[in-house]
Structure formats: structure tokens, C-alpha cells
Coordinates of all heavy atoms in Angstrom, one line a residue:
G853 N -233.7 53.3 -21.1 CA -233.3 53.2 -19.7 C -234.1 54.2 -18.8 O -234.9 55.0 -19.3
Y854 N -233.7 54.2 -17.6 CA -234.3 55.1 -16.6 C -233.5 56.3 -16.4 O -232.3 56.3 -16.5 CB -234.5 54.4 -15.3 CG -235.6 53.4 -15.3 CD1 -235.4 52.1 -15.6 CD2 -236.9 53.7 -15.0 CE1 -236.4 51.1 -15.6 CE2 -238.0 52.8 -15.0 CZ -237.7 51.5 -15.3 OH -238.7 50.6 -15.4
V855 N -234.1 57.4 -16.0 CA -233.4 58.7 -15.6 C -233.7 58.8 -14.1 O -234.9 58.7 -13.7 CB -234.0 59.9 -16.4 CG1 -233.4 61.2 -15.9 CG2 -233.7 59.7 -17.9
L856 N -232.7 59.1 -13.4 CA -232.8 59.2 -11.9 C -232.6 60.7 -11.6 O -231.6 61.3 -12.1 CB -231.7 58.4 -11.3 CG -231.7 58.3 -9.8 CD1 -232.9 57.6 -9.2 CD2 -230.4 57.5 -9.3
F857 N -233.5 61.3 -10.9 CA -233.4 62.8 -10.6 C -233.9 63.1 -9.2 O -234.8 62.5 -8.7 CB -234.0 63.6 -11.7 CG -235.4 63.4 -11.9 CD1 -236.4 64.3 -11.4 CD2 -235.9 62.4 -12.7 CE1 -237.7 64.1 -11.6 CE2 -237.3 62.2 -12.9 CZ -238.2 63.1 -12.4
A858 N -233.4 64.2 -8.7 CA -233.9 64.8 -7.4 C -234.8 65.9 -7.7 O -234.5 66.7 -8.6 CB -232.7 65.2 -6.6
D859 N -235.9 66.0 -7.0 CA -236.9 67.1 -7.1 C -236.7 68.0 -5.8 O -237.2 67.6 -4.8 CB -238.3 66.5 -7.2 CG -239.4 67.6 -7.3 OD1 -239.1 68.8 -7.0 OD2 -240.5 67.2 -7.6
I860 N -236.0 69.1 -6.0 CA -235.6 69.9 -4.9 C -236.8 70.6 -4.2 O -236.9 70.7 -3.0 CB -234.6 71.0 -5.3 CG1 -234.0 71.6 -4.1 CG2 -235.2 72.0 -6.2 CD1 -232.7 72.5 -4.3
D861 N -237.9 70.9 -5.0 CA -239.0 71.5 -4.5 C -239.9 70.6 -3.7 O -240.6 71.0 -2.8 CB -239.9 72.1 -5.6 CG -239.2 73.3 -6.3 OD1 -238.5 74.0 -5.6 OD2 -239.3 73.5 -7.5
N862 N -239.9 69.3 -4.0 CA -240.8 68.4 -3.3 C -240.0 67.4 -2.4 O -240.6 66.5 -1.8 CB -241.6 67.6 -4.3 CG -242.6 68.4 -5.0 OD1 -243.4 69.1 -4.3 ND2 -242.6 68.5 -6.3
S863 N -238.7 67.6 -2.3 CA -237.8 66.8 -1.4 C -238.0 65.3 -1.6 O -238.1 64.5 -0.7 CB -238.1 67.1 0.0 OG -237.7 68.5 0.3
V864 N -237.9 64.9 -2.9 CA -238.1 63.5 -3.2 C -237.0 63.1 -4.3 O -236.5 63.9 -5.0 CB -239.5 63.1 -3.7 CG1 -240.5 63.2 -2.6 CG2 -239.9 63.9 -4.9
L865 N -236.8 61.8 -4.4 CA -236.0 61.2 -5.4 C -236.9 60.4 -6.4 O -237.7 59.6 -5.9 CB -234.9 60.3 -4.8 CG -233.9 59.6 -5.8 CD1 -233.0 60.6 -6.4 CD2 -233.1 58.6 -5.0
L866 N -236.8 60.7 -7.7 CA -237.7 60.1 -8.7 C -236.9 59.5 -9.8 O -235.7 59.7 -10.0 CB -238.6 61.2 -9.3 CG -239.4 62.1 -8.3 CD1 -239.8 63.4 -9.0 CD2 -240.6 61.3 -7.9
T867 N -237.6 58.6 -10.5 CA -237.1 58.0 -11.7 C -238.2 58.0 -12.8 O -239.4 58.1 -12.4 CB -236.6 56.6 -11.5 OG1 -235.9 56.2 -12.7 CG2 -237.7 55.6 -11.2
R868 N -237.8 58.0 -14.0 CA -238.8 57.9 -15.1 C -238.1 57.2 -16.3 O -236.9 57.3 -16.5 CB -239.4 59.2 -15.5 CG -238.6 60.1 -16.4 CD -239.2 61.4 -16.9 NE -240.6 61.4 -16.9 CZ -241.4 62.4 -16.7 NH1 -240.9 63.6 -16.4 NH2 -242.7 62.4 -16.8
R869 N -238.9 56.6 -17.1 CA -238.5 56.0 -18.3 C -239.3 56.6 -19.5 O -240.5 56.5 -19.5 CB -238.6 54.5 -18.3 CG -238.2 53.8 -19.5 CD -238.1 52.3 -19.4 NE -239.4 51.7 -18.9 CZ -239.5 50.4 -18.7 NH1 -238.5 49.6 -18.9 NH2 -240.7 49.9 -18.3
G870 N -238.6 57.1 -20.5 CA -239.2 57.7 -21.6 C -240.3 58.8 -21.2 O -240.0 59.7 -20.5
T871 N -241.5 58.6 -21.7 CA -242.6 59.5 -21.4 C -243.4 59.0 -20.2 O -244.5 59.7 -19.9 CB -243.4 59.8 -22.6 OG1 -244.0 58.5 -23.0 CG2 -242.6 60.4 -23.7
D872 N -243.0 57.9 -19.6 CA -243.8 57.5 -18.4 C -243.8 58.5 -17.3 O -242.9 59.3 -17.2 CB -243.2 56.2 -17.8 CG -243.3 55.0 -18.7 OD1 -244.0 55.1 -19.7 OD2 -242.5 54.0 -18.4
P873 N -244.9 58.6 -16.5 CA -244.9 59.5 -15.4 C -243.8 59.2 -14.4 O -243.4 58.0 -14.3 CB -246.3 59.4 -14.8 CG -246.8 58.1 -15.3 CD -246.1 57.8 -16.6
P874 N -243.3 60.2 -13.6 CA -242.3 59.9 -12.6 C -242.7 58.9 -11.6 O -243.9 58.9 -11.2 CB -242.0 61.3 -12.0 CG -242.6 62.3 -12.9 CD -243.7 61.6 -13.7
L875 N -241.8 58.1 -11.1 CA -242.1 57.1 -10.1 C -241.3 57.5 -8.9 O -240.0 57.7 -9.0 CB -241.7 55.7 -10.6 CG -241.9 54.6 -9.6 CD1 -243.4 54.4 -9.4 CD2 -241.4 53.3 -10.2
L876 N -241.9 57.6 -7.7 CA -241.3 58.0 -6.5 C -240.4 56.8 -6.0 O -240.9 55.7 -5.8 CB -242.4 58.3 -5.5 CG -241.9 58.8 -4.1 CD1 -241.1 60.1 -4.2 CD2 -243.2 59.0 -3.2
L877 N -239.1 57.1 -5.8 CA -238.2 56.1 -5.2 C -237.9 56.3 -3.8 O -237.8 55.3 -3.0 CB -236.8 56.2 -6.0 CG -236.8 55.6 -7.4 CD1 -235.4 55.8 -7.9 CD2 -237.2 54.2 -7.4
A878 N -237.8 57.5 -3.3 CA -237.4 57.8 -1.9 C -237.9 59.2 -1.6 O -238.0 60.1 -2.4 CB -235.9 57.7 -1.7
G879 N -238.3 59.3 -0.3 CA -238.8 60.6 0.2 C -240.3 60.5 0.3 O -240.9 59.5 0.0
L880 N -240.9 61.6 0.7 CA -242.3 61.6 0.9 C -242.9 62.9 0.4 O -242.4 64.0 0.8 CB -242.6 61.4 2.4 CG -244.0 61.5 2.8 CD1 -244.9 60.4 2.2 CD2 -244.1 61.4 4.3
R881 N -243.9 62.9 -0.4 CA -244.7 64.0 -0.8 C -246.1 63.7 -0.6 O -246.7 62.8 -1.2 CB -244.4 64.4 -2.2 CG -245.2 65.7 -2.6 CD -245.0 66.1 -4.0 NE -245.7 67.3 -4.3 CZ -247.0 67.3 -4.7 NH1 -247.7 66.2 -4.7 NH2 -247.6 68.4 -4.9
V882 N -246.8 64.5 0.2 CA -248.2 64.4 0.5 C -248.8 65.6 -0.3 O -248.3 66.7 -0.1 CB -248.5 64.4 2.0 CG1 -250.0 64.4 2.2 CG2 -247.8 63.3 2.7
E883 N -249.9 65.3 -1.0 CA -250.5 66.4 -1.8 C -250.7 67.7 -0.9 O -251.3 67.6 0.1 CB -251.8 65.9 -2.4 CG -252.3 66.9 -3.5 CD -253.5 66.3 -4.2 OE1 -253.4 65.3 -4.8 OE2 -254.6 66.9 -4.1
G884 N -250.2 68.8 -1.4 CA -250.4 70.0 -0.6 C -249.3 70.4 0.3 O -249.2 71.5 0.8
R885 N -248.4 69.5 0.6 CA -247.3 69.8 1.5 C -246.2 68.8 1.2 O -246.3 67.8 0.6 CB -247.7 69.7 2.9 CG -248.0 68.4 3.5 CD -248.2 68.4 5.0 NE -248.4 67.1 5.5 CZ -247.5 66.3 5.9 NH1 -246.2 66.6 5.8 NH2 -247.7 65.1 6.3
T886 N -245.0 69.1 1.7 CA -243.8 68.3 1.6 C -243.3 68.0 2.9 O -243.2 68.8 3.8 CB -242.7 69.1 0.8 OG1 -243.3 69.4 -0.5 CG2 -241.5 68.2 0.6
A887 N -242.9 66.7 3.1 CA -242.3 66.3 4.4 C -240.8 66.5 4.2 O -240.2 65.9 3.3 CB -242.6 64.9 4.7
E888 N -240.2 67.4 4.9 CA -238.8 67.7 4.8 C -238.1 67.3 6.1 O -238.5 67.7 7.2 CB -238.5 69.2 4.5 CG -238.9 69.6 3.1 CD -238.5 71.0 2.8 OE1 -238.0 71.7 3.7 OE2 -238.8 71.4 1.7
G889 N -237.0 66.6 6.0 CA -236.3 66.1 7.2 C -235.1 65.4 6.8 O -234.7 65.3 5.6
L890 N -234.5 64.7 7.8 CA -233.3 64.0 7.5 C -233.4 62.6 8.1 O -232.6 62.0 8.7 CB -232.1 64.6 8.2 CG -231.6 65.9 7.5 CD1 -230.5 66.6 8.3 CD2 -231.1 65.6 6.1
R891 N -234.6 62.0 7.8 CA -234.8 60.6 8.3 C -234.3 59.6 7.3 O -234.7 59.6 6.1 CB -236.3 60.4 8.5 CG -236.6 59.1 9.2 CD -238.1 59.1 9.6 NE -238.9 59.0 8.4 CZ -240.2 58.9 8.4 NH1 -240.8 59.0 9.6 NH2 -240.9 58.9 7.3
D892 N -233.5 58.7 7.8 CA -233.0 57.6 6.9 C -234.1 56.5 6.9 O -234.9 56.4 7.8 CB -231.7 57.0 7.5 CG -230.5 57.9 7.4 OD1 -230.5 58.7 6.4 OD2 -229.6 57.8 8.2
G893 N -234.1 55.7 5.8 CA -235.0 54.7 5.7 C -235.2 54.3 4.2 O -234.7 55.0 3.3
N894 N -235.9 53.2 4.0 CA -236.1 52.8 2.6 C -237.3 53.4 2.0 O -238.3 53.6 2.7 CB -236.3 51.2 2.6 CG -235.1 50.5 3.1 OD1 -234.0 50.9 2.8 ND2 -235.3 49.4 3.8
G895 N -237.2 53.8 0.8 CA -238.3 54.3 0.0 C -239.0 55.5 0.7 O -238.4 56.5 1.0
L896 N -240.3 55.3 0.9 CA -241.1 56.4 1.4 C -240.8 56.7 2.9 O -241.4 57.6 3.4 CB -242.6 56.0 1.2 CG -243.0 55.8 -0.2 CD1 -244.5 55.4 -0.3 CD2 -242.8 57.0 -1.1
K897 N -240.0 55.9 3.5 CA -239.7 56.2 4.9 C -238.6 57.2 5.0 O -238.3 57.8 6.1 CB -239.3 54.9 5.7 CG -240.5 53.9 5.8 CD -240.1 52.7 6.5 CE -241.3 51.8 6.6 NZ -240.9 50.5 7.2
A898 N -237.8 57.4 3.9 CA -236.7 58.4 3.9 C -237.3 59.8 3.8 O -238.4 60.0 3.2 CB -235.8 58.1 2.8
E899 N -236.6 60.7 4.4 CA -237.0 62.1 4.2 C -235.8 62.9 3.9 O -234.7 62.8 4.5 CB -237.7 62.7 5.5 CG -239.0 62.1 5.7 CD -239.7 62.7 6.9 OE1 -239.2 63.7 7.4 OE2 -240.7 62.1 7.4
F900 N -235.9 63.8 2.9 CA -234.9 64.7 2.5 C -235.2 66.1 2.8 O -236.4 66.4 3.1 CB -234.7 64.6 0.9 CG -234.3 63.3 0.4 CD1 -235.2 62.4 -0.1 CD2 -233.0 62.9 0.5 CE1 -234.9 61.2 -0.6 CE2 -232.6 61.6 0.0 CZ -233.5 60.8 -0.5
C901 N -234.2 67.0 2.8 CA -234.4 68.4 3.0 C -233.8 69.1 1.8 O -232.7 69.6 1.8 CB -233.8 68.8 4.3 SG -234.4 70.4 4.9
R902 N -234.6 69.2 0.7 CA -234.2 69.8 -0.6 C -233.1 69.1 -1.3 O -232.0 69.7 -1.4 CB -234.0 71.3 -0.4 CG -235.3 72.0 0.1 CD -235.1 73.5 0.3 NE -234.8 74.2 -1.0 CZ -235.7 74.6 -1.8 NH1 -236.9 74.4 -1.6 NH2 -235.3 75.3 -2.9
P903 N -233.3 67.9 -1.7 CA -232.2 67.2 -2.5 C -232.0 67.9 -3.8 O -232.9 68.3 -4.4 CB -232.8 65.8 -2.7 CG -234.3 66.0 -2.7 CD -234.5 67.1 -1.7
C904 N -230.7 68.1 -4.2 CA -230.5 68.9 -5.3 C -229.6 68.2 -6.4 O -229.6 68.8 -7.5 CB -229.8 70.2 -4.9 SG -228.2 70.0 -4.1
A905 N -229.0 67.1 -6.2 CA -228.2 66.4 -7.2 C -228.1 65.0 -6.9 O -228.2 64.5 -5.7 CB -226.8 67.0 -7.3
V906 N -227.9 64.2 -7.9 CA -227.8 62.7 -7.8 C -226.6 62.3 -8.6 O -226.4 62.7 -9.7 CB -229.1 62.0 -8.3 CG1 -228.9 60.5 -8.1 CG2 -230.3 62.5 -7.6
A907 N -225.8 61.4 -8.0 CA -224.7 60.8 -8.7 C -224.8 59.3 -8.6 O -225.1 58.8 -7.5 CB -223.3 61.3 -8.2
L908 N -224.5 58.5 -9.7 CA -224.6 57.1 -9.6 C -223.2 56.5 -9.7 O -222.4 56.8 -10.6 CB -225.4 56.6 -10.8 CG -225.8 55.1 -10.9 CD1 -226.7 54.8 -9.6 CD2 -226.6 54.8 -12.1
A909 N -222.9 55.7 -8.7 CA -221.6 55.0 -8.6 C -221.6 53.8 -9.5 O -222.6 53.2 -9.8 CB -221.3 54.7 -7.2
P910 N -220.4 53.3 -9.9 CA -220.3 52.1 -10.7 C -221.0 50.9 -10.1 O -221.5 50.0 -10.9 CB -218.8 51.9 -10.9 CG -218.2 53.2 -10.7 CD -219.1 53.9 -9.6
D911 N -221.0 50.8 -8.8 CA -221.7 49.6 -8.2 C -223.2 49.7 -8.1 O -223.9 48.9 -7.6 CB -221.1 49.4 -6.8 CG -221.5 50.4 -5.8 OD1 -222.1 51.5 -6.2 OD2 -221.1 50.3 -4.6
G912 N -223.8 50.8 -8.7 CA -225.2 51.0 -8.7 C -225.8 51.8 -7.5 O -227.0 52.0 -7.4
T913 N -224.9 52.2 -6.6 CA -225.3 53.0 -5.5 C -225.5 54.5 -5.9 O -224.7 55.0 -6.7 CB -224.3 53.0 -4.3 OG1 -224.1 51.7 -3.9 CG2 -224.7 53.8 -3.1
A914 N -226.6 55.1 -5.5 CA -226.9 56.5 -5.8 C -226.5 57.3 -4.6 O -226.7 57.0 -3.5 CB -228.3 56.7 -6.1
Y915 N -225.9 58.5 -4.9 CA -225.5 59.4 -3.8 C -226.3 60.7 -4.1 O -226.3 61.2 -5.2 CB -224.0 59.7 -3.8 CG -223.3 58.5 -3.4 CD1 -222.8 57.6 -4.3 CD2 -223.0 58.3 -2.0 CE1 -222.1 56.5 -3.9 CE2 -222.3 57.1 -1.6 CZ -221.9 56.2 -2.6 OH -221.2 55.1 -2.1
V916 N -227.0 61.2 -3.1 CA -227.9 62.3 -3.2 C -227.4 63.5 -2.4 O -227.2 63.3 -1.2 CB -229.4 62.0 -2.8 CG1 -230.3 63.2 -3.0 CG2 -229.9 60.8 -3.6
A917 N -227.2 64.6 -3.0 CA -226.8 65.8 -2.2 C -228.0 66.4 -1.6 O -229.0 66.8 -2.4 CB -226.1 66.8 -3.2
D918 N -228.1 66.5 -0.3 CA -229.2 67.0 0.4 C -228.9 68.4 0.8 O -228.2 68.7 1.8 CB -229.5 66.1 1.6 CG -231.0 66.2 2.1 OD1 -231.7 67.2 1.7 OD2 -231.4 65.3 2.8
Y919 N -229.3 69.4 0.0 CA -228.9 70.8 0.1 C -229.1 71.4 1.5 O -228.1 71.8 2.2 CB -229.6 71.6 -0.9 CG -229.3 73.1 -0.9 CD1 -228.1 73.6 -1.3 CD2 -230.3 74.0 -0.4 CE1 -227.8 74.9 -1.3 CE2 -230.0 75.4 -0.4 CZ -228.8 75.8 -0.8 OH -228.5 77.2 -0.8
E920 N -230.3 71.5 2.0 CA -230.5 72.1 3.3 C -230.2 71.2 4.5 O -230.0 71.6 5.6 CB -232.0 72.6 3.5 CG -232.2 73.8 2.6 CD -233.5 74.5 2.8 OE1 -234.3 74.0 3.6 OE2 -233.8 75.4 2.1
G921 N -230.1 69.9 4.2 CA -229.7 68.9 5.2 C -228.1 68.9 5.4 O -227.6 68.3 6.3
N922 N -227.4 69.5 4.5 CA -225.9 69.6 4.5 C -225.3 68.2 4.6 O -224.4 67.9 5.4 CB -225.4 70.4 5.7 CG -225.8 71.9 5.6 OD1 -225.7 72.4 4.5 ND2 -226.4 72.4 6.6
R923 N -225.9 67.3 3.8 CA -225.4 65.9 3.8 C -225.4 65.3 2.4 O -226.1 65.8 1.5 CB -226.3 65.0 4.6 CG -226.5 65.5 6.0 CD -226.5 64.3 7.0 NE -226.7 64.5 8.4 CZ -226.8 65.6 9.1 NH1 -226.7 66.8 8.6 NH2 -227.0 65.6 10.4
V924 N -224.6 64.3 2.2 CA -224.7 63.5 1.0 C -225.2 62.1 1.5 O -224.7 61.5 2.4 CB -223.3 63.2 0.4 CG1 -223.4 62.2 -0.8 CG2 -222.7 64.6 -0.1
R925 N -226.4 61.8 0.9 CA -227.1 60.6 1.4 C -226.8 59.4 0.4 O -226.9 59.6 -0.8 CB -228.6 60.8 1.5 CG -228.9 62.1 2.2 CD -229.1 61.9 3.7 NE -230.1 61.0 4.1 CZ -231.3 61.3 4.3 NH1 -231.8 62.5 4.0 NH2 -232.2 60.4 4.7
R926 N -226.6 58.2 0.9 CA -226.4 57.0 0.1 C -227.8 56.3 -0.1 O -228.4 56.1 0.9 CB -225.4 56.1 0.7 CG -225.1 54.9 -0.1 CD -224.1 54.0 0.5 NE -224.7 53.6 1.8 CZ -224.1 52.8 2.7 NH1 -222.8 52.5 2.5 NH2 -224.7 52.5 3.8
I927 N -228.1 56.0 -1.3 CA -229.4 55.3 -1.6 C -229.1 54.0 -2.3 O -228.4 54.0 -3.3 CB -230.3 56.2 -2.5 CG1 -230.5 57.6 -1.9 CG2 -231.6 55.5 -2.8 CD1 -231.3 57.6 -0.7
R928 N -229.6 52.9 -1.8 CA -229.6 51.6 -2.5 C -230.8 51.6 -3.4 O -231.9 51.6 -3.0 CB -229.6 50.5 -1.5 CG -228.3 50.2 -0.9 CD -228.3 49.0 0.0 NE -227.7 49.4 1.3 CZ -228.2 49.2 2.4 NH1 -229.3 48.5 2.6 NH2 -227.6 49.6 3.5
L929 N -230.5 51.5 -4.7 CA -231.5 51.5 -5.7 C -232.1 50.1 -5.8 O -231.5 49.1 -5.6 CB -231.0 51.9 -7.0 CG -230.4 53.3 -7.1 CD1 -229.8 53.6 -8.4 CD2 -231.5 54.3 -6.8
P930 N -233.4 50.0 -6.1 CA -234.1 48.7 -6.3 C -233.5 47.9 -7.4 O -233.1 48.5 -8.5 CB -235.5 49.0 -6.5 CG -235.6 50.4 -6.9 CD -234.3 51.1 -6.4
P931 N -233.4 46.6 -7.3 CA -232.8 45.8 -8.4 C -233.5 46.0 -9.8 O -232.8 46.0 -10.8 CB -233.0 44.3 -7.9 CG -233.2 44.4 -6.5 CD -233.8 45.8 -6.2
W932 N -234.8 46.2 -9.8 CA -235.5 46.4 -11.1 C -235.0 47.6 -11.8 O -234.9 47.6 -13.0 CB -237.0 46.4 -10.9 CG -237.5 47.5 -10.1 CD1 -237.9 47.4 -8.8 CD2 -237.7 48.9 -10.5 NE1 -238.3 48.7 -8.3 CE2 -238.2 49.6 -9.3 CE3 -237.6 49.6 -11.7 CZ2 -238.6 50.9 -9.4 CZ3 -237.9 50.9 -11.7 CH2 -238.4 51.6 -10.6
L933 N -234.6 48.6 -11.1 CA -234.1 49.8 -11.7 C -232.7 49.6 -12.3 O -232.4 50.0 -13.4 CB -234.0 51.0 -10.7 CG -233.6 52.3 -11.2 CD1 -234.5 52.9 -12.2 CD2 -233.5 53.3 -10.1
L934 N -231.8 48.9 -11.5 CA -230.5 48.6 -12.0 C -230.5 47.7 -13.2 O -229.6 47.8 -14.1 CB -229.6 48.1 -10.9 CG -229.4 49.0 -9.7 CD1 -228.8 48.2 -8.5 CD2 -228.7 50.2 -10.1
E935 N -231.5 46.8 -13.3 CA -231.5 45.9 -14.4 C -232.4 46.5 -15.6 O -232.6 45.8 -16.6 CB -232.2 44.6 -13.9 CG -231.3 43.9 -12.9 CD -232.1 42.9 -12.1 OE1 -233.3 42.6 -12.4 OE2 -231.5 42.3 -11.1
A936 N -232.8 47.7 -15.4 CA -233.7 48.4 -16.5 C -234.9 47.6 -16.8 O -235.4 47.5 -17.9 CB -232.9 48.7 -17.7
A937 N -235.4 46.9 -15.8 CA -236.7 46.1 -15.9 C -237.9 47.0 -15.6 O -237.7 48.2 -15.2 CB -236.6 44.9 -15.0
S938 N -239.0 46.5 -15.7 CA -240.2 47.2 -15.3 C -240.4 47.2 -13.8 O -240.1 46.2 -13.1 CB -241.5 46.6 -15.9 OG -241.4 46.7 -17.3
P939 N -240.9 48.3 -13.2 CA -241.1 48.3 -11.8 C -242.2 47.4 -11.4 O -243.0 47.0 -12.2 CB -241.4 49.8 -11.5 CG -242.0 50.3 -12.8 CD -241.2 49.5 -13.8
P940 N -242.2 47.0 -10.1 CA -243.3 46.2 -9.6 C -244.6 47.0 -9.7 O -244.6 48.2 -9.7 CB -243.0 45.9 -8.2 CG -242.0 46.9 -7.8 CD -241.3 47.3 -9.0
P941 N -245.8 46.3 -9.7 CA -247.0 47.1 -9.7 C -247.2 48.0 -8.5 O -246.7 47.7 -7.4 CB -248.1 46.0 -9.7 CG -247.5 44.7 -9.5 CD -246.0 44.9 -9.6
P942 N -247.8 49.2 -8.7 CA -247.9 50.1 -7.6 C -248.8 49.5 -6.5 O -249.7 48.7 -6.7 CB -248.5 51.3 -8.2 CG -249.1 50.9 -9.5 CD -248.4 49.7 -9.9
A943 N -248.5 50.0 -5.3 CA -249.3 49.6 -4.1 C -250.7 50.3 -4.2 O -250.8 51.2 -5.0 CB -248.6 50.1 -2.8
P944 N -251.7 49.9 -3.4 CA -253.0 50.6 -3.5 C -252.8 52.1 -3.3 O -251.9 52.5 -2.6 CB -253.7 50.0 -2.3 CG -253.1 48.7 -2.1 CD -251.6 48.8 -2.5
F945 N -253.5 52.9 -4.1 CA -253.4 54.3 -4.1 C -252.2 54.8 -4.9 O -251.9 56.0 -4.9 CB -253.5 55.0 -2.7 CG -254.7 54.6 -2.0 CD1 -254.5 53.7 -0.9 CD2 -255.9 55.0 -2.3 CE1 -255.7 53.3 -0.2 CE2 -257.1 54.6 -1.7 CZ -256.9 53.7 -0.6
G946 N -251.4 53.9 -5.5 CA -250.2 54.3 -6.2 C -249.0 54.6 -5.4 O -249.1 54.8 -4.2
R947 N -247.8 54.6 -6.1 CA -246.6 54.9 -5.4 C -246.0 56.2 -5.9 O -244.9 56.6 -5.6 CB -245.6 53.8 -5.6 CG -245.9 52.6 -4.9 CD -244.9 51.5 -5.2 NE -243.6 51.9 -4.9 CZ -242.5 51.3 -5.4 NH1 -242.6 50.2 -6.1 NH2 -241.3 51.7 -5.1
R948 N -246.8 56.9 -6.7 CA -246.2 58.1 -7.3 C -246.3 59.3 -6.3 O -245.2 59.8 -5.9 CB -247.0 58.5 -8.6 CG -246.9 57.3 -9.6 CD -247.1 57.8 -10.9 NE -247.2 56.8 -11.9 CZ -246.6 55.6 -12.1 NH1 -245.7 55.2 -11.2 NH2 -246.8 54.8 -13.1
F949 N -247.4 59.7 -5.8 CA -247.6 60.7 -4.8 C -248.8 60.3 -4.0 O -249.8 59.9 -4.5 CB -247.8 62.1 -5.4 CG -246.5 62.6 -6.1 CD1 -246.5 62.8 -7.4 CD2 -245.4 62.9 -5.4 CE1 -245.4 63.2 -8.1 CE2 -244.3 63.4 -6.0 CZ -244.3 63.6 -7.4
R950 N -248.7 60.4 -2.7 CA -249.8 60.1 -1.8 C -250.7 61.3 -1.6 O -250.3 62.4 -1.6 CB -249.3 59.7 -0.4 CG -248.6 58.3 -0.5 CD -248.3 57.8 0.9 NE -248.5 58.7 2.0 CZ -248.0 58.6 3.2 NH1 -247.1 57.6 3.4 NH2 -248.3 59.4 4.1
R951 N -252.0 61.0 -1.5 CA -252.9 62.1 -1.1 C -253.1 62.1 0.4 O -253.1 61.1 1.1 CB -254.3 61.8 -1.7 CG -254.3 61.9 -3.2 CD -255.7 61.8 -3.8 NE -255.6 61.8 -5.2 CZ -255.7 62.9 -6.0 NH1 -255.9 64.0 -5.4 NH2 -255.7 62.8 -7.3
Q952 N -253.3 63.3 0.9 CA -253.5 63.5 2.4 C -254.9 63.1 2.8 O -255.8 63.3 2.1 CB -253.1 64.9 2.8 CG -253.0 65.1 4.2 CD -252.5 66.4 4.5 OE1 -252.4 67.3 3.7 NE2 -252.1 66.6 5.8

């Protein structure tokens, strides 16, 4: 299965399966800097301010503790993740981390 985790240093929510490289689910990291904020949105449109913990509810909703944002954020996970299927192919330039 997949492991869901928050990266506090890069302000992103990631997942990984086994030894696969992490896959960016929400938040934004541009090489060399981190976008930190409290913008709601899907996937890369969301911005966190040092997410520090993730909890998964029985209905498949993830709750992310946003440390410096002083909020608990609700995240709808993609169906492929909840079904433990393979993610869709990455968009051009990849979905892991964007280059500036």
C-alpha cells in the first residue's frame, strides 16, 4: 500500500509505495524555494505553511495539521490512492517536484 506523509520542510503532502520515489499530492515545491501559504485548492494549487502531521479518517479523507498556519486542513485523496492502484502517468516535467 501507500504511505501518506507531510513534509514540514517543503510544505507539501506526499505519498509513496515501497521504494518508489515520493509523489507530490498537494502543495507546491519549486526547486530552490518553497511556496508557503494557506491557499485552498486541489493538488498543486494548495499551499501549506509547514504541515506536520496527517491523519486518515475511515471515509478516506485526510486531515493535515498545518503548523504555522494554525489550521487543520481537509484533503480529498485521489481515488487511485484509496484503491491502492497505480497513479496516473505524470504530467509533462513530472508531478514530483517542479523546476523553476
Side-chain angles (χ1 to χ4, degrees):
Y854 287 92
V855 174
L856 185 64
F857 60 99
D859 181 344
I860 194 168
D861 292 325
N862 293 305
S863 294
V864 294
L865 181 64
L866 302 162
T867 188
R868 84 175 330 147
R869 178 169 55 181
T871 59
D872 292 346
L875 181 64
L876 182 61
L877 286 179
L880 176 65
R881 180 181 181 275
V882 178
E883 192 172 298
R885 71 176 182 85
T886 301
E888 290 186 357
L890 288 175
R891 187 171 69 180
D892 290 332
N894 295 326
L896 301 178
K897 294 180 181 176
E899 290 183 13
F900 298 99
C901 198
R902 298 182 62 87
C904 62
V906 181
L908 190 60
D911 68 356
T913 302
Y915 293 91
V916 180
D918 204 343
Y919 177 72
E920 287 186 5
N922 296 313
R923 302 225 185 346
V924 173
R925 311 276 299 277
R926 182 180 62 184
I927 306 292
R928 282 186 226 130
L929 298 175
W932 61 263
L933 181 65
L934 297 173
E935 296 163 5
S938 294
F945 305 110
R947 290 178 53 195
R948 301 204 189 321
F949 292 111
R950 290 189 354 201
R951 292 184 185 270
Q952 190 171 15

